Amino acid sequence: MAKKLFGTSGIRGKVNSEVTAELALNVGKSLAYYLGNQGRVVLGYDTRTSNEMLDQAICAGLLESGIDVIKIGLVPTPLVVYATDKLKADAGIMLTASHNPPQYNGIKIWNPNGMAYTSAQEAKIEEIYHNKDYTSVTWDKIGSLSYNEEIKDQYIEDLVNLVDIKHGLKVVIDCASGAGSEFSPLIFRKAGCDVTTLNCQVDGFFPGRNPEPNEENLQTLMKTVVAIGADLGIAHDGDADRMITVDEKGNISPFDSLLALISKKFGGTVVTTVDAGLCMDEALKEVGGNVLRTKVGDVNVAEVIIEENATFGGEPSGTWLHPDFCICPDGILSGLRMAEIVSNEGKLSDLLKEIPTYPNIREKVVCSKEAKINIMKNMEQLLTDNFDDIREINVIDGVRITFEDDSWVLVRPSGTEDYVRVTLESKNQERAEFIRDECLKIINDNL
């Protein structure tokens, strides 16, 4: 059986063992064949040290196959998607491994409407790739290569015009030395903020912190916000499609509560994923809105946003989609909108108190790709055998069990890393810990 290329968020793996120049070359050829060996593709990348190698390789594959390539260089993922739309290209490619460590890289492909390639589209690319159905064009039909710098200024201007932030809001921005480093601080300053930066020097080794924006990696940001009396801290991941905030007291904002807060401002129908907590439903109920849940992954959220004409969408990982601007995750716009809320409505810590919170636990068990597949085959049965107060079972993505007391647990394999993830919530801390311990025992006993 041919090895699967795509995970939850495009192709991702370790450089020069899983993600190679040869792979990039042939993915370029495969995409070109899928597009009919004609059209235009926007190509960008984040700060990873392997990106220029992959950029040249995938570009060569596209050009050899008759596709015109528009390079926009080192940019955040949302800028690639924005450019694909504005330049009327047929697809966009971002070279990034997002929040993964520097030894990883990846390839993510985007549709002109701003939605990442669906699993059906990725399956077609995989089929072409594995069957080597791609073909080279004759010498006189080789694609052309161009560079576009102007689109960056257009993106910056459009973002700034989308928000109304009171002048002088004090913000600390931590970009992890990733793709947001040259963009996020500039955009916030243009929007009227007083900006202090952390880890905003471009460096693909991510020397300041791991690009995953979580509490463990954001200790310096949390301390800096308090030390300088900032109103808000903003942290991005490696490609700036995600965002998490730190309040004025130096506390990292709970992902679920933050998503519920912004969703409440939009109202209407909001799309999220199966790992989102109860606070989403309760917050939207207050404003007469409703929540729809789908599979983990921004492309799944985007599909439902389009189908249901939803006002907003996001995952409880800081990945938010703004359909009034572009239907792709945009960490910079997400940060701007939180800054706008804080500047107009008050302290973030006070605003988050309005969102109900319950004990929420997220764990991950290291597990090989093969073991992930095997254990998930039996996970529904394993969970039902070990719990006797189950109210509902949802298998849209992994296995989500809802209990009679409204507690819930989701067990699902990571689509980007070698983990099985356990996410759960309960209105009682002891109950939450009991569910966690039982689930971790089930997984470890069956690895």
Side-chain angles (χ1 to χ4, degrees):
M1 181 181 294
K3 186 176 180 181
K4 185 172 171 60
L5 280 179
F6 291 89
T8 304
S9 188
I11 297 168
R12 200 175 294 182
K14 290 185 177 178
V15 174
N16 284 346
S17 58
E18 297 170 299
V19 176
T20 64
E22 182 181 9
L23 179 141
L25 176 75
N26 291 331
V27 168
K29 293 180 182 180
S30 301
L31 175 60
Y33 186 87
Y34 175 76
L35 295 174
N37 293 102
Q38 60 183 352
R40 300 196 301 164
V41 169
V42 171
L43 179 57
Y45 52 83
D46 70 15
T47 58
R48 292 168 191 273
T49 59
S50 54
N51 266 327
E52 291 190 357
M53 171 186 77
L54 297 178
D55 175 74
Q56 301 285 18
I58 203 165
C59 179
L62 292 165
L63 295 173
E64 178 185 331
S65 306
I67 299 293
D68 295 337
V69 177
I70 307 169
K71 286 193 175 188
I72 59 173
L74 200 166
V75 294
T77 287
L79 212 163
V80 166
V81 186
Y82 174 90
T84 302
D85 173 33
K86 294 297 182 182
L87 300 177
K88 302 190 185 307
D90 298 281
I93 298 174
M94 180 66 181
L95 302 174
T96 181
S98 189
H99 63 275
N100 287 78
Q103 63 268 33
Y104 285 81
N105 213 330
I107 303 168
K108 191 160 182 176
I109 310 174
W110 299 86
N111 284 291
N113 68 349
M115 186 172 73
Y117 264 35
T118 64
S119 56
Q121 288 177 300
E122 290 176 341
K124 290 179 179 177
I125 300 293
E126 282 198 17
E127 183 180 0
I128 296 165
Y129 176 92
H130 288 304
N131 293 337
K132 298 184 179 179
D133 287 335
Y134 40 78
T135 55
S136 302
V137 297
T138 56
W139 67 270
D140 56 331
K141 290 186 170 59
I142 291 172
S144 65
L145 174 62
S146 61
Y147 299 83
N148 189 306
E149 288 290 330
E150 295 77 15
I151 197 68
K152 299 176 183 179
D153 293 332
Q154 190 176 341
Y155 170 76
I156 291 168
E157 182 180 350
D158 282 356
L159 279 190
V160 171
N161 290 336
L162 203 59
V163 293
D164 182 15
I165 300 172
K166 290 181 181 177
H167 187 80
L169 187 77
K170 205 167 185 179
V171 181
V172 184
I173 298 178
D174 182 344
C175 292
S177 296
S181 299
E182 295 180 342
F183 290 87
S184 193
L186 172 63
I187 291 168
F188 274 81
R189 288 187 178 111
K190 284 181 175 288
C193 297
D194 177 357
V195 176
T196 299
T197 61
L198 290 174
N199 302 311
C200 286
Q201 76 283 16
V202 169
D203 192 325
F205 289 95
F206 307 123
R209 68 166 173 88
N210 187 292
E212 172 111 33
N214 58 27
E215 185 167 1
E216 178 185 354
N217 296 327
L218 299 179
Q219 291 296 313
T220 302
L221 174 62
M222 295 160 69
K223 293 172 183 175
T224 303
V225 168
V226 175
I228 70 170
D231 300 296
L232 183 67
I234 299 283
H236 297 301
D237 59 339
D239 63 331
D241 67 343
R242 290 171 58 190
M243 181 279 311
I244 189 62
T245 60
V246 171
D247 69 23
E248 77 288 350
K249 296 180 179 180
N251 298 315
I252 192 166
S253 305
F255 282 111
D256 285 277
S257 300
L258 200 62
L259 179 58
L261 175 62
I262 187 76
S263 298
K264 189 176 175 182
K265 303 304 176 187
F266 280 91
T269 297
V270 173
V271 182
T272 189
T273 49
V274 291
D275 56 341
L278 294 169
C279 63
M280 284 289 292
D281 305 86
E282 298 186 15
L284 266 295
K285 193 182 297 182
E286 288 182 27
V287 294
N290 66 296
V291 179
L292 297 177
R293 283 182 171 80
T294 187
K295 295 180 182 180
V296 172
D298 61 86
V299 63
N300 300 309
V301 175
E303 281 190 288
V304 179
I305 287 175
I306 293 171
E307 291 168 4
E308 302 294 333
N309 194 27
T311 58
F312 185 70
E315 301 182 80
S317 60
T319 305
W320 297 356
L321 288 74
H322 307 260
D324 62 336
F325 181 68
C326 184
I327 194 165
C328 81
D330 192 324
I332 299 176
L333 177 54
S334 298
L336 284 171
R337 284 193 150 146
M338 285 310 306
E340 182 178 40
I341 290 172
V342 170
S343 76
N344 292 304
E345 299 186 29
K347 296 177 179 179
L348 181 56
S349 62
D350 292 336
L351 296 173
L352 288 173
K353 286 178 185 175
E354 300 172 8
I355 304 297
T357 59
Y358 306 109
N360 186 299
I361 299 174
R362 295 174 186 268
E363 299 276 2
K364 55 189 180 183
V365 180
V366 177
C367 181
S368 70
K369 289 181 172 66
E370 295 75 18
K372 279 193 299 186
I373 294 169
N374 291 331
I375 197 169
M376 290 309 300
K377 285 179 182 176
N378 303 313
M379 186 51 63
E380 182 179 354
Q381 189 63 52
L382 290 169
L383 291 172
T384 53
D385 286 347
N386 282 272
F387 294 103
D388 56 8
D389 56 341
I390 296 171
R391 186 173 73 213
E392 181 184 350
I393 301 174
N394 184 323
V395 293
I396 191 173
D397 188 7
V399 182
R400 175 171 166 144
I401 302 292
T402 304
F403 300 96
E404 294 292 349
D405 63 356
D406 290 333
S407 301
W408 61 271
V409 62
L410 172 69
V411 180
R412 62 176 293 275
S414 170
T416 57
E417 298 173 279
D418 294 338
Y419 299 119
V420 169
R421 299 187 185 277
V422 178
T423 307
L424 63 98
E425 186 177 35
S426 176
K427 294 180 180 179
N428 177 279
Q429 182 66 37
E430 289 184 6
R431 170 70 168 160
E433 292 173 1
F434 169 77
I435 295 171
R436 175 200 60 196
D437 293 344
E438 286 296 303
C439 289
L440 292 179
K441 185 176 187 301
I442 290 169
I443 294 169
N444 286 313
D445 287 350
N446 289 275
L447 282 179

